[in-house]
Amino acid sequence: MRIVISEFISLDGVVQAPGGPQEDTDGGFAHGGWTHAYFDPEVVGGAFDVALDEADALLFGRRTWSVMAQAWPDRAGDPFADRMNSIRKYVVSGTLGESDLTWDNTALIPGAEAVAHIGKLREQEGGSLLVMGSPSLARLLIAQGLVDELRLIVMPVVLGGGKTIFPDDGGKHAFELVSATTGPAGAQVCVYRAASAE
């Protein structure tokens, strides 16, 4: 399976709380919902439709999974929501237990075993293992060299600080641009694939 990370991201690399003001206020983040002005259903929405269509499973960190698990089960009836609810889901957590997994078709990956377990998933046959949100998990996967593709939806805004997916450990990870599509409000969907090591 290929690990694909799909993120809304600001010009200064922030991915925190794209959906709404109360989504994630850690660190005093006050710009929740910052993507709305730049979202369009065709280019930006289409990018998420394609990513989800190509996915065999979703991979989340605990916080993002918890937000999604509260939001999506009540939205049954449209094709995107139905796919979100029915697809296989994995959540990496050191605090959740099996009894907490209320969102259908979710399996727990213990936090201490995340890298080894995800590495085994990556070796299996199949389509993509899609990561949405989950900045701490995305940062770990990039640092470990486990990411095959980045789908970054770059919004034309600077947020001045917040959570990012990029490691700051000094490691170099090369990607090559595969495609870039610009939406009517200035968002740019950029697809990068992992490049061979130099």
Side-chain angles (χ1 to χ4, degrees):
M1 296 179 79
R2 298 166 58 251
I3 294 182
V4 175
I5 294 176
S6 184
E7 299 281 350
F8 291 116
I9 191 164
S10 69
L11 291 174
D12 54 344
V14 175
V15 299
Q16 188 169 352
Q22 302 308 314
E23 183 179 344
D24 181 359
T25 58
D26 277 3
F29 189 75
H31 303 299
W34 52 273
T35 62
H36 296 179
Y38 313 105
F39 187 92
D40 75 279
E42 186 175 335
V43 175
V44 175
F48 273 94
D49 288 342
V50 168
L52 192 58
D53 284 347
E54 294 175 357
D56 280 352
L58 304 178
L59 175 62
F60 295 107
R62 180 200 52 81
R63 180 190 293 267
T64 302
W65 179 88
S66 296
V67 170
M68 298 282 202
Q70 290 176 5
W72 287 104
D74 292 337
R75 298 185 191 178
D78 88 39
F80 190 90
D82 290 347
R83 177 82 167 129
M84 287 290 290
N85 288 321
S86 64
I87 194 171
R88 181 70 166 158
K89 293 168 277 286
Y90 297 94
V91 56
V92 175
S93 175
T95 57
L96 292 175
E98 293 292 337
S99 63
D100 298 311
L101 305 181
T102 55
W103 195 11
D104 287 347
N105 213 11
T106 297
L108 179 65
I109 298 175
E113 302 169 16
V115 171
H117 195 106
I118 293 167
K120 289 178 184 173
L121 287 174
R122 192 171 176 240
E123 291 171 2
Q124 294 178 8
E125 291 295 321
S128 61
L129 187 56
L130 179 63
V131 179
M132 295 185 287
S134 309
S136 298
L137 176 60
R139 196 165 43 254
L140 172 67
L141 295 173
I142 293 171
Q144 294 291 322
L146 293 173
V147 176
D148 298 289
E149 187 171 288
L150 293 171
R151 294 184 182 200
L152 303 180
I153 300 165
V154 184
M155 302 293 189
V157 62
V158 173
L159 298 173
K163 294 179 182 177
T164 181
I165 61 169
F166 301 120
D168 60 2
D169 59 3
K172 180 181 178 183
H173 305 277
F175 289 83
E176 53 190 8
L177 180 65
V178 175
S179 65
T181 308
T182 304
Q188 192 163 50
V189 178
C190 299
V191 178
Y192 298 89
R193 292 210 183 117
S196 324
E198 293 180 7

